[in-house]
Amino acid sequence: MDGKNIIDEDKQYIAGTYARFRVAFKEGRGCRLYDYDGKEYVDCGSGIAVDIFGINDEEWKNAVIAQLNSVQHTSNLFYTEPQARLAKLLCEKTGAKKVFFGNSGAEANECAIKAARKYGEVHHGEKRKEIITLKDSFHGRTLATLAATGQDAFHKYYGPFPAGFVYAEPTTEGVEKCVNENTCAVMIECIQGESGVNTLDKDFVKSVEKLCKERDILLICDEVQTGNGRTGYLYAYQAYGISPDIVTTAKGLGGGLPIGACMLFDKCENVFGFGDHGSTFGGNPVVCAGACSIIGRIDEKLLLSVREKGEYFKTGLEKIEGVEEVSGMGLMIGIKTAKPASEIAKKCIDKGLLVLTAHSKVRLLPPLNISKDEIDFALKILSEVISE
């Protein structure tokens, strides 16, 4: 089957929920992908922050294959070594006390919502169920996480939504204005990826942490996109010097396989009891084996290199005529130009560079091991497209 046949069958049989580019990939390695005509692309999207070490990463692949040759799945009524090992790694690297595994970022955030609401009711009464999120946030596509998302565009068609969410302006005054006796949690993304790679102000984030601690309100950090080394820190909250009560992550954690994790810190360590939550595939041993390979390799040397590459990328982008603003942290970068982001993305793909968009911005989420030569290629193509 060639690329055209794949595209035709996709259009015929798959629900039309994605505005796909007309490219079908056959194979790849590292930051390089190849379509069915043999054309080469440098990947600066990494499957939307998923392929942390690129395509066909040997160590990750071997870990997955080894587990496939052992036990591919058993229910969560039994124990598996990869799941226990991954939970230990995450707790040791973050200070979390317990982890719940699901299959996606939305599921991780659903778990955080349930944990916060149970904590609120147990410690402060049954009315303490309200969660404050920020305007322009994005927390997932299930009904509850869509309700938590502070963007009206995502709410069209799908109501009525679960109640109990309030959207605050991303300012100290904005959050304080929304807090009341029913508030159980504040949920933030330190960098709002889907709404344009908007980096929250550090003083604002610190003020939210202070407010939460004073009133025994849980602070939830959504690290679905920012996590697992993406920003040059294992999790972005660490760059802000705060101590959240719950941290969620997904995307890059599995290295290409679906997994979500909800990390529970001191206050929430024992919030769940038997039967309070569950997942058939959550913590699947094959996926966890791959995730252990990913998390085990994200060390300080790698994180430093991500920060350095991010600065190199930003410096190059700021020199391009037509670039109005560069936002983000590490290898999570947003580029604002006068041109439509979708137009830039299409022209980049034509020239062999894969980029993403986020609202009006071009978004870059390359593998963390992208080389300097590949960054230079990306800068060259972006310069040609943006300034032409």
Side-chain angles (χ1 to χ4, degrees):
M1 184 177 287
D2 61 21
K4 184 181 182 303
N5 292 142
I6 292 169
I7 291 167
D8 289 344
E9 287 198 0
D10 182 289
K11 287 183 176 296
Q12 184 175 355
Y13 296 112
I14 294 181
T17 58
Y18 303 107
R20 301 193 201 270
F21 296 102
R22 287 189 63 83
V23 181
F25 293 116
K26 183 179 182 181
E27 58 191 359
R29 183 166 294 279
C31 292
R32 311 289 176 123
L33 279 163
Y34 302 88
D35 66 18
Y36 278 75
D37 295 322
K39 182 178 175 179
E40 182 182 76
Y41 301 79
V42 170
D43 183 11
C44 279
S46 62
I48 314 182
V50 170
D51 302 321
I52 288 290
F53 291 110
I55 300 296
N56 228 335
D57 175 67
E58 209 61 41
E59 187 170 333
W60 172 86
K61 188 167 61 174
N62 288 339
V64 169
I65 291 169
Q67 186 60 42
L68 276 172
N69 288 330
S70 176
V71 175
Q72 85 274 21
H73 178 75
T74 182
S75 82
N76 279 310
L77 297 174
F78 305 97
Y79 300 95
T80 64
E81 187 273 339
Q83 187 177 138
R85 178 158 46 102
L86 179 58
K88 181 182 179 182
L89 272 171
L90 289 170
C91 288
E92 288 178 344
K93 285 176 175 283
T94 64
K97 301 300 183 183
K98 296 283 175 65
V99 183
F100 178 87
F101 291 117
N103 305 287
S104 66
E107 287 185 44
N109 285 335
E110 288 264 358
C111 180
I113 290 165
K114 290 177 73 172
R117 286 183 169 168
K118 183 177 179 185
Y119 180 90
E121 179 170 336
V122 168
H123 292 274
H124 298 282
E126 63 181 13
K127 290 186 178 180
R128 192 140 171 176
K129 296 289 184 71
E130 204 166 79
I131 296 174
I132 297 170
T133 66
L134 301 183
K135 291 183 179 179
D136 291 326
S137 61
F138 180 82
H139 297 294
R141 292 186 181 271
T142 62
L143 283 177
T145 55
L146 272 180
T149 292
Q151 298 187 60
D152 289 340
F154 287 101
H155 298 157
K156 190 176 180 182
Y157 302 124
Y158 301 118
F161 290 100
F165 296 96
V166 179
Y167 314 123
E169 293 289 345
T171 64
T172 303
E173 296 75 19
V175 173
E176 287 178 341
K177 189 177 173 181
C178 293
V179 171
N180 60 47
E181 66 275 9
N182 297 327
T183 305
C184 68
V186 178
M187 189 175 191
I188 66 170
E189 305 156 276
C190 290
I191 304 174
Q192 296 176 324
E194 295 300 322
S195 60
V197 196
N198 303 321
T199 305
L200 297 187
D201 178 74
K202 189 170 184 178
D203 289 338
F204 161 63
V205 173
K206 294 283 284 185
S207 73
V208 171
E209 179 195 37
K210 182 173 182 289
L211 175 67
C212 288
K213 289 190 184 304
E214 288 172 351
R215 305 197 188 189
D216 195 28
I217 295 169
L218 298 183
L219 177 58
I220 304 169
C221 283
D222 176 342
E223 298 265 2
V224 171
Q225 188 169 140
T226 55
N228 312 300
R230 172 60 49 195
T231 63
Y233 296 85
L234 183 59
Y235 295 103
Y237 77 83
Q238 294 167 329
Y240 285 74
I242 60 170
S243 299
D245 300 297
I246 301 175
V247 174
T248 61
T249 193
K251 289 192 181 289
L253 178 61
L257 291 174
I259 187 171
C262 180
M263 292 176 267
L264 306 169
F265 289 70
D266 299 75
K267 279 186 181 180
C268 305
E269 177 180 359
N270 298 309
V271 69
F272 288 130
F274 296 141
D276 279 348
H277 200 35
S279 170
T280 297
F281 290 104
N284 171 273
V286 175
V287 181
C288 284
C292 286
S293 164
I294 299 296
I295 290 296
R297 285 184 283 164
I298 301 177
D299 56 18
E300 283 305 314
K301 183 180 178 181
L302 176 68
L303 294 172
L304 177 60
S305 77
V306 170
R307 296 197 290 272
E308 290 172 345
K309 289 172 186 176
E311 285 304 310
Y312 184 79
F313 235 136
K314 283 185 178 181
T315 300
L317 289 166
E318 287 166 351
K319 293 176 182 177
I320 295 174
E321 183 181 349
V323 170
E324 298 175 353
E325 177 186 288
V326 181
S327 61
M329 186 186 298
L331 289 174
M332 183 176 182
I333 300 170
I335 310 164
K336 182 181 178 184
T337 78
K339 291 183 178 180
S342 58
E343 177 187 317
I344 292 171
K346 185 179 184 308
K347 288 184 176 180
C348 283
I349 289 171
D350 291 343
K351 291 174 177 283
L353 176 67
L354 306 180
V355 301
L356 302 165
T357 62
H359 279 212
S360 61
K361 291 182 183 177
V362 175
R363 180 171 39 156
L364 305 179
L365 299 167
L368 305 188
N369 56 350
I370 187 172
S371 70
K372 183 175 178 294
D373 286 345
E374 288 162 336
I375 294 175
D376 287 338
F377 175 81
L379 289 170
K380 174 179 176 292
I381 299 302
L382 284 163
S383 180
E384 290 173 5
V385 172
I386 293 170
S387 61
E388 68 182 2

